[in-house]
Structures are given as structure tokens and as C-alpha cells.
Amino acid sequence: QVQLVESGGGSVQAGGSLRLSCAASIVTYSIYCMGWFRREPGKEREAVAYIDSDGTTTYADSVKGRFTISRDNAQNTLYLQLDSLKPEDTAMYYCAARSPTSAPRCSNHPLWYNYWGQGTQVTVSS
């Protein structure tokens, strides 16, 4: 049973920083695609960033240069460093994992991921 547990959300002012963590109970964690998604109330879940098993990272245009995704395979943990936060970054942030496939690269589509955490709220005030 795969479990993903996010932490690190909170309320900050614009320009501030947060670091999200996602602890994964996955034996073969290192070969999983891992991603961060977010959802604002009434909107679709959108990809923020994802990281392949080889460490290749991909970011949404809206967060490039401000957010950094990383993974610690020894600790089975995924991170998202959020810097220069803006009010429009306010959302519930979710960690997602995809079990190994034959696909050459991870995807930014939420339906491609088969495991999800419960989410952690990020609120940015102006």
C-alpha cells in the first residue's frame, strides 16, 4: 500500500517562502515519477512540477525560476521549495506518484499518476 504524506504548507505574505515535503512509503521509490500538483477552489488540478527517476525536472511556466522540486531517494522524500510566492500561488498542493512504466518520461497530466497524498494548503496574502 503506497502512502504519500505532505507537510510544510502554511500562510505567508507575498514574497515569502515555504518548503513542502512529501514522505512516500514506496519500497522502490527511486524509480517512481514524482510530481507536485495544485488546485484552487473551483478549478482543475494543475501540474506545478515533476521529477523523473533520473532527476530530470519539469516546471509549469507560472512557477519557473521561483519553485524548485527535488527528491531524496535515500529518505523516500519529495520536496518543493517555493520562493517569491505570489497570491495566485494560493492553493491546495498535492504530491503524486506514478509506479514504473515503459514511458520514457513522466507526464504533467494528473490522470497519469496513480497515487496521491491528501494535500497541504498554501495561502499567500498580498
Side-chain angles (χ1 to χ4, degrees), residues 76 96 100:
N76 284 14

Side-chain angles (χ1 to χ4, degrees), residues 1-123:
Q1 182 77 14
V2 172
Q3 288 190 321
L4 304 175
V5 180
E6 302 99 334
S7 61
S11 297
V12 297
Q13 290 191 324
S17 297
L18 286 172
R19 190 191 195 201
L20 308 184
S21 299
C22 172
S25 64
I26 303 174
V27 174
T28 54
Y29 171 80
S30 64
I31 59 174
Y32 274 60
C33 279
M34 301 296 298
W36 287 100
F37 289 76
R38 66 186 181 188
R39 182 166 59 193
E40 299 173 61
K43 294 189 177 181
E44 297 287 326
R45 193 173 299 196
E46 64 173 359
V48 175
Y50 55 92
I51 184 167
D52 289 62
S53 59
D54 66 0
T56 300
T57 57
T58 305
Y59 297 90
D61 288 342
S62 59
V63 306
K64 279 181 183 176
R66 300 188 300 119
F67 292 7
T68 304
I69 188 172
S70 61
R71 64 192 299 166
D72 183 338
N73 290 337
Q75 298 294 324
N76 284 14
T77 303
L78 180 73
Y79 301 99
L80 186 68
Q81 178 68 38
L82 295 75
D83 296 318
S84 302
L85 280 161
K86 304 175 181 180
E88 51 264 42
D89 294 319
T90 296
M92 184 72 78
Y93 283 70
Y94 298 90
C95 170
R98 168 67 200 222
S99 49
T101 73
S102 59
R105 286 298 176 198
C106 302
S107 170
N108 65 347
H109 201 292
L111 294 180
W112 193 74
Y113 291 81
N114 47 2
Y115 300 106
W116 292 87
Q118 293 299 306
T120 185
Q121 178 68 37
V122 171
T123 303

